[in-house]
Amino acid sequence: NDFIDGALGTKEAVEIVPKVKEKIENFDGKIIFTRDTHYENYLDTQEGKNLSVKHCIKNTHGWQIHDILNTDGAEIIDKESFGFNGWKGKLDNFDEVVLVGLCTDICVISNALIIKAFYPEIKINIVEDATAGVTPETKAAAIATAKSCQINII
């Protein structure tokens, strides 16, 4: 919630929610949510010293996954960094991964690159119209980086 219409929300983030919902509802595979997770001491952390906006504090409304997105049967991973560092082993039987959500230029690209490093043969896709960045310009830069790293943009 904090990345959609909360502390770090943007109009672009609000606009992609229906597209993300549609992708989830029409996806025939395992759904995994990663949830940015911080604590009350956020402003004292390395990230908090660089981005001094408290967000996604565990057990707050802003930390929750948006109500419109159905999490029934999905796995939810609480990650304390831009990218989840536990992908190794979790995706061993996957041939393809599809990434949607926020933020293209921070969390989405971080996860895509971590997955690519652990699983160079998995087809990784980022759904461009179901992601939003901090700004349109930084999203475009992340998309360019993804393409140069052989991540598919669909």
Side-chain angles (χ1 to χ4, degrees):
N1 287 312
D2 272 347
F3 284 106
I4 297 169
D5 54 10
L8 295 172
T10 64
K11 71 177 184 63
E12 292 85 6
V14 170
E15 290 171 359
I16 69 159
V17 173
K19 293 173 185 166
V20 170
K21 179 181 184 216
E22 177 186 348
K23 285 289 180 193
I24 291 169
E25 289 175 349
N26 294 314
F27 190 73
D28 184 26
K30 181 173 178 71
I31 305 289
I32 302 172
F33 286 88
T34 61
R35 177 169 48 193
D36 209 25
T37 302
H38 301 296
Y39 304 94
E40 286 300 326
N41 71 335
Y42 173 75
L43 296 178
D44 296 325
T45 67
Q46 175 68 28
E47 180 182 328
K49 291 175 184 174
N50 288 288
L51 175 62
S52 59
V53 178
K54 279 181 116 176
H55 65 282
C56 299
I57 305 300
K58 189 170 184 172
N59 297 321
T60 65
H61 175 74
W63 173 74
Q64 299 295 333
I65 295 168
H66 198 286
D67 291 341
I68 197 172
L69 302 177
N70 183 357
T71 60
D72 293 345
E75 180 177 353
I76 299 174
I77 295 170
D78 293 336
K79 62 178 189 59
E80 297 178 3
S81 180
F82 296 146
F84 176 56
N85 60 13
W87 288 120
K88 183 69 173 163
K90 187 167 282 297
L91 302 176
D92 285 355
N93 297 314
F94 285 65
D95 296 323
E96 186 170 359
V97 174
V98 179
L99 301 171
V100 299
L102 303 166
C103 291
T104 318
D105 44 348
I106 300 174
C107 298
V108 174
I109 191 67
S110 293
N111 280 305
L113 292 172
I114 291 168
I115 294 167
K116 188 70 168 170
F118 284 135
Y119 299 98
E121 296 302 317
I122 287 181
K123 181 178 180 182
I124 303 171
N125 307 291
I126 295 174
V127 182
E128 190 169 8
D129 70 352
T131 65
V134 174
T135 69
E137 295 79 19
T138 56
K139 175 182 175 173
I143 294 294
T145 297
K147 286 179 183 177
S148 71
C149 293
Q150 301 176 1
I151 293 165
N152 304 303
I153 308 302
I154 55 175

